Amino acid sequence: MYLEHKLEVKDFLGKIPLWRRVCSVKSQLILGFASVLTLMLVVSMVFGISQQYLISEASKPDTVEGQVTELGLRGLQTLLKARRVEREFLQEITEIGLAKTKTRYLPLLHTHLADLSSQVEKIRSLSSDAGVVEKANQILQKIQEYEKKFVALTDLYQHLGYFDIGWQDRFRLKTHEIEALITAEDGSNDPDYQDGKDAKNSKDSGNSEYQAMMFELQALRRYEKDYIRLGHDAYLRKFLDGMKTLRANIGKSHLPTLKKQRISTLLTEYSQDFLRYTQVADAAIMAKDDYVAVALTIEPLLEELHVQTSARLNKAQHALEVAQWSILLTVVVALLLAIFIAVLISWRITSSITQIIAFAKRITAGDFNARVAAIGEYEIDTLGHEMNQMAESLMNFQANLEGKAIQLEYQANHDILTGLPNRNLFVDRLHQALVYAQRHQRVVVVAFLNLNKFKSFNDSLGREFGDQLLLIMAERLRSCVRKADTVARLGADEFALILHYRAGEEISHYTMRQVFSGMNQPISLNGREYTITSSIGFAVYPQNGEDADTLLKNADTAMYRAKEGGRENFQFYTATLPSRVNERAALELGLQSALAQNEFSLHYQPRIELKKGKISGLEVLLRWSQAELGAVAPLRFIPLAEELGIMHLIGDWVMRTACLQQIEWKKTGVANLPVAVNVSAVQFLQQGFSNAVARVLHETQIDPAYFELEITESFSMQDPEATIRVMHELKSLGIRLSIDNFGTGYSNLGYLKRFPVDKIKLDLSFVRDIVSNDEDLAVSDAVISMAHSLHLKVIAEGVESEGQLALLADHGCNEMQGYYFSKPLPVKECTNLLMEDRAVPANKLGRRHAMRSLLLVDDEPQVLIALEHMLQSKGYNILTAHNAMEAFNLLATNEIGVVLCDYSMPNMTGIEFFHKIKRMHPAVVRILLTDDSDKTAELHDAFKRGGVYQSLRKPWDEPTLLAMIEEALRSYEYQWQITS
């Protein structure tokens, strides 16, 4: 380190001019002081001249530029006032009418524009800049054009009829007269009306004709209003088509001839007036665009005018500021140069003496790396050369001794592969940490970490891969902990940590975020990605032990408990853990002999085809019952069997037993159904797995088409390329493959389309709340659509209710399994179930459809009773629910056209309920019942976002509610006919 410092100093000194290195100290002092005096004289002269210049510049007048700049800013403000008046005019024209709006706002607009013109003319008269005058002329011309075009727009609005006489009033008066003619009673003595027909028949047919003509007239009114409100050409075309239909029906009707002629004349005038209105509306839109375009050009011109007028003012000020800063900078540079020369001279005198003193102190302290930077041949430099030679000799002697000692100490205390501390150094540091913690009331945490399934990776991929993996994990551990903490490697795949905490500091949060999550990230090696998880045990000083051996033992115990909890886990030591470790030992001992003792059994859960409702296959589930331990859950013994290395033996037994049972059912005529077996990750990745499956198929003589393997999605992505290779080997045997727990792993479409699988199983986490959770329904629908596009079948797991079944069938899911049909059964009970030939009723396989279906939702029973009583005689299919959950279940099992719901409900408001329905069942028409206490803003937002179709305030008016329901049903039926 010192040699590098010495070289840097020499390099710097080598850049000093030749005179600096060859002159004596006395000569350098004379030259330095002469330079400083010269610089001070120059600074005084520059400062005096500059002061005279600044005084003359500061006295120049700028009154004209200031006035012009102020006028330009006021012009911008006046334009903003005029634009605000224009916007308020357009906003209120539809609310209070054109006449009142013109009286209120048009004079104000003319006043603002006149002020703006006056200000621009003043700028033009004051400024002597030709560019400013030209810009002012352009603005004046644009102001006149803007005012003229805005007045033209108001004339067009006069024709449209916003609360005033205009085309709207003309054609609407025509519609009222037409409606009055259609609904008027006709005298029986009118010969045109009799027309030789029977009066009774005419009256009967007239009722239906009247209803048809009124319906068509109302449709014309609706198209007319939609066009006025939205301006879409589609509504204009609908209006013209509806006009033709109404004319034709009036011509065919039994109305009197004179009335027909009068109605026809009014229809012609109605159509002509409406078309004139559309023409004027289009002209108004174009006129509005014209004046807005002119208005948008005025503001940039005013901005440019303001910039040009203020440029002259800023130019003089800027020049003055630049001059001031230049003078100040010149003075500062001269002073700094003088200071630098003075410091350089003093440094030359004192540096050599300072170096020799520092050199002597370091040599006395035993630092033989000390050196003196001697750069010349005068005075002290010769002494420095001799002292450096002495230090060089001492340093070489000491380096030989220290090098050998450091090497021996490092090898004794560090792991050769990773460079981490080994067990010896770890235990020593732990002792020191405990002493420090006891003295300063600190907390020490010992972590024992084990890499899950490292042995299987090391055996299958080679020792070189294992060494690379350990190096990566060691580096991750270093980056996860703080500098004061210790990371050590104790064994092949075992690491240990010493973590320091202050008293009261949160321990679990830091560990979870920094250590556990950091270690479980995927690893990229040789172009492939692997996921190596870890199990971690923690012991805390002083709660879990007061010495190093106890803390290490307890952390190891906690680590084994973490493995038992499903790996990819961490566990803090507690007093109950030793008994759990003993329980684990008992599980290990029992597993070793479970196959020999015939303690394993198989249960079968049926899979149902959702088109026919019949059993289409069986999933095989492993169970273990031991005399002393009782029934042991698969999640407890399967990971342990994988760790003990006996999972492949158990897996072979499961496949063979399942195949033999399938053959037995086939021979006895019970059923001939495929069986599906779950494959362990360790078993699937083991060398020769496909050969083991081929051997089972050969020995049992089962038809490969009736044998299926289920592979969990998460472990299939640990080594995708190896997974694809093994899958192709298995497919060559003729068996079927499926991806289990789909949606919870790490797969992507790029690999999924390469996997040669036949089915995917939708994980139960997406099925559990599919009836009421729009996100789960969306994910399930997306998975089903994606799978079908890849020509795969979808099996839904965990189906437990009729609503789940109906929704899945309605969205195209192929099969399902779950407690709704049957739980997993032992062989005997499953045989009885197959002999019964039980099936799901056809009416359960999808949502039931009934025309004119209404769903009434309210938590008040009397309200539901009142609504049912009012609607039951109208021919509706009525369903009721007291809360949102009941309503979701009814929507899942029934095709419902209209939902009528109260705003105030427990747990979920009516608007929240409707927003979910909109995303889950978009075709359903939604009507909300409200009262005065409901939030108006929230209701307005619901209408804007389309969550609510209509709303009705309680107490409701019966005719209004019935009309609203009829209109909603027509809307639903129209959409249903289009989609169907």
Side-chain angles (χ1 to χ4, degrees), residues 454-466 469 525-526 528 530 532 685 687 719 722 725:
F454 173 77
K455 185 176 183 302
S456 63
F457 277 100
N458 198 42
D459 293 343
S460 59
L461 299 176
R463 183 172 181 178
E464 182 179 354
F465 173 87
L469 176 63
L525 282 175
N526 302 327
R528 296 183 180 178
Y530 304 90
I532 310 297
L685 295 175
Q687 293 289 340
D719 188 353
R725 175 179 52 78

Side-chain angles (χ1 to χ4, degrees), residues 656-672:
R656 184 174 287 101
T657 305
C659 290
L660 292 174
Q661 184 60 54
Q662 195 273 347
I663 292 174
E664 176 66 20
W665 281 331
K666 181 179 178 181
K667 285 182 180 179
T668 57
V670 174
N672 185 23

Side-chain angles (χ1 to χ4, degrees), residues 240-538:
L240 295 176
D241 293 340
M243 180 66 71
K244 292 179 182 179
T245 304
L246 180 58
R247 284 177 179 277
N249 289 339
I250 289 174
K252 299 175 184 178
S253 67
H254 295 85
L255 293 174
T257 303
L258 293 177
K259 181 178 288 189
K260 287 182 182 181
Q261 293 174 354
R262 178 57 181 164
I263 292 175
S264 178
T265 301
L266 289 174
L267 286 175
T268 301
E269 294 174 355
Y270 173 33
S271 176
Q272 291 174 350
D273 290 344
F274 180 73
L275 290 176
R276 290 191 188 98
Y277 171 85
T278 60
Q279 293 170 0
V280 175
D282 292 340
I285 293 173
M286 293 178 63
K288 183 179 179 181
D289 293 339
D290 287 343
Y291 91 78
V292 169
V294 174
L296 292 177
T297 61
I298 296 175
E299 185 173 352
L301 289 173
L302 282 173
E303 288 281 357
E304 294 174 10
L305 182 61
H306 179 65
V307 170
Q308 290 180 358
T309 55
S310 59
R312 295 170 62 89
L313 179 64
N314 294 335
K315 185 176 180 181
Q317 294 175 348
H318 179 68
L320 188 60
E321 291 175 358
V322 169
Q324 290 174 339
W325 282 106
S326 299
I327 294 168
L328 181 61
L329 182 61
T330 303
V331 174
V332 170
V333 169
L335 291 175
L336 290 177
L337 186 58
I339 293 171
F340 174 78
I341 293 173
V343 170
L344 188 63
I345 293 170
S346 64
W347 174 81
R348 180 65 182 96
I349 298 173
T350 59
S351 61
S352 299
I353 298 173
T354 303
Q355 287 188 50
I356 291 173
I357 294 173
F359 172 86
K361 290 181 179 179
R362 293 175 66 182
I363 292 295
T364 304
D367 182 7
F368 303 121
N369 291 318
R371 296 292 184 274
V372 176
I375 62 169
E377 299 178 355
Y378 291 95
E379 289 128 333
I380 306 172
D381 295 333
T382 303
L383 177 61
H385 285 293
E386 297 302 325
M387 296 177 73
N388 289 341
Q389 293 295 329
M390 177 188 68
E392 189 78 29
S393 300
L394 292 172
M395 184 186 68
N396 291 335
F397 179 75
Q398 186 187 35
N400 290 332
L401 293 177
E402 291 179 351
K404 294 181 180 179
I406 291 173
Q407 184 178 4
L408 292 174
E409 182 182 4
Y410 184 85
Q411 292 176 353
N413 294 303
H414 289 79
D415 177 57
I416 301 300
L417 174 63
T418 62
L420 294 175
N422 60 12
R423 183 179 290 271
N424 293 333
L425 183 56
F426 179 82
V427 172
D428 181 64
R429 290 188 179 180
L430 181 56
H431 282 298
Q432 296 177 22
L434 295 179
V435 171
Y436 180 81
Q438 185 178 15
R439 183 179 304 165
H440 297 281
Q441 288 77 44
R442 301 292 289 261
V443 176
V444 176
V445 177
V446 177
F448 205 94
L449 183 145
N450 181 263
L451 303 180
N452 297 325
K453 303 179 183 179
F454 173 77
K455 185 176 183 302
S456 63
F457 277 100
N458 198 42
D459 293 343
S460 59
L461 299 176
R463 183 172 181 178
E464 182 179 354
F465 173 87
D467 289 346
Q468 293 179 358
L469 176 63
L470 289 172
L471 286 171
I472 293 174
M473 288 300 182
E475 186 59 34
R476 284 189 177 181
L477 275 175
R478 285 193 189 100
S479 63
C480 287
V481 300
R482 295 170 285 197
K483 292 183 179 180
D485 299 330
T486 297
V487 181
R489 182 187 177 201
L490 305 186
D493 58 351
E494 294 179 345
F495 296 86
L497 310 175
I498 301 175
L499 308 174
H500 300 270
Y501 293 91
R502 295 185 297 274
E505 185 177 357
E506 179 65 31
I507 297 174
S508 60
H509 176 74
Y510 174 78
T511 304
M512 276 290 294
R513 295 291 301 274
Q514 301 298 324
V515 181
F516 182 71
S517 60
M519 293 295 292
N520 295 339
Q521 296 297 319
I523 295 174
S524 295
L525 282 175
N526 302 327
R528 296 183 180 178
E529 194 171 84
Y530 304 90
T531 301
I532 310 297
T533 61
S534 58
S535 300
I536 310 177
F538 297 97

Side-chain angles (χ1 to χ4, degrees), residues 124-315:
R124 183 175 61 179
S125 62
L126 285 174
S127 178
S128 60
D129 190 340
V132 172
V133 173
E134 181 181 359
K135 192 71 66 180
N137 290 331
Q138 293 179 10
I139 293 173
L140 289 172
Q141 181 181 355
K142 292 294 182 181
I143 291 172
Q144 293 174 2
E145 186 179 356
Y146 166 64
E147 186 174 13
K148 178 180 178 181
K149 291 190 175 183
F150 187 81
V151 171
L153 176 64
T154 60
D155 294 336
L156 288 173
Y157 278 149
Q158 182 70 45
H159 293 290
L160 290 180
Y162 291 103
F163 283 88
D164 301 297
I165 299 302
W167 292 112
Q168 282 194 44
D169 300 84
R170 293 185 59 174
F171 61 71
R172 285 176 180 169
L173 289 174
K174 299 294 190 300
T175 58
H176 296 159
E177 189 173 352
I178 293 169
E179 182 177 350
L181 286 171
I182 294 175
T183 57
E185 291 290 335
D186 298 307
S188 58
N189 296 324
D190 190 341
D192 292 328
Y193 183 80
Q194 297 298 329
D195 200 30
K197 297 180 181 180
D198 182 46
K200 183 178 182 304
N201 293 334
S202 298
K203 184 176 181 180
D204 294 338
S205 62
N207 289 332
S208 60
E209 289 173 353
Y210 157 74
Q211 293 177 355
M213 287 185 292
M214 286 302 298
F215 178 82
E216 289 164 357
L217 181 60
Q218 291 174 358
L220 285 180
R221 295 300 308 279
R222 185 165 61 254
Y223 297 147
E224 160 212 314
K225 293 177 181 177
D226 288 341
Y227 177 83
I228 293 173
R229 182 169 54 93
L230 301 175
H232 292 172
D233 290 339
Y235 295 116
L236 181 58
R237 289 193 294 270
K238 291 181 179 180
F239 174 87
L240 295 176
D241 293 340
M243 180 66 71
K244 292 179 182 179
T245 304
L246 180 58
R247 284 177 179 277
N249 289 339
I250 289 174
K252 299 175 184 178
S253 67
H254 295 85
L255 293 174
T257 303
L258 293 177
K259 181 178 288 189
K260 287 182 182 181
Q261 293 174 354
R262 178 57 181 164
I263 292 175
S264 178
T265 301
L266 289 174
L267 286 175
T268 301
E269 294 174 355
Y270 173 33
S271 176
Q272 291 174 350
D273 290 344
F274 180 73
L275 290 176
R276 290 191 188 98
Y277 171 85
T278 60
Q279 293 170 0
V280 175
D282 292 340
I285 293 173
M286 293 178 63
K288 183 179 179 181
D289 293 339
D290 287 343
Y291 91 78
V292 169
V294 174
L296 292 177
T297 61
I298 296 175
E299 185 173 352
L301 289 173
L302 282 173
E303 288 281 357
E304 294 174 10
L305 182 61
H306 179 65
V307 170
Q308 290 180 358
T309 55
S310 59
R312 295 170 62 89
L313 179 64
N314 294 335
K315 185 176 180 181

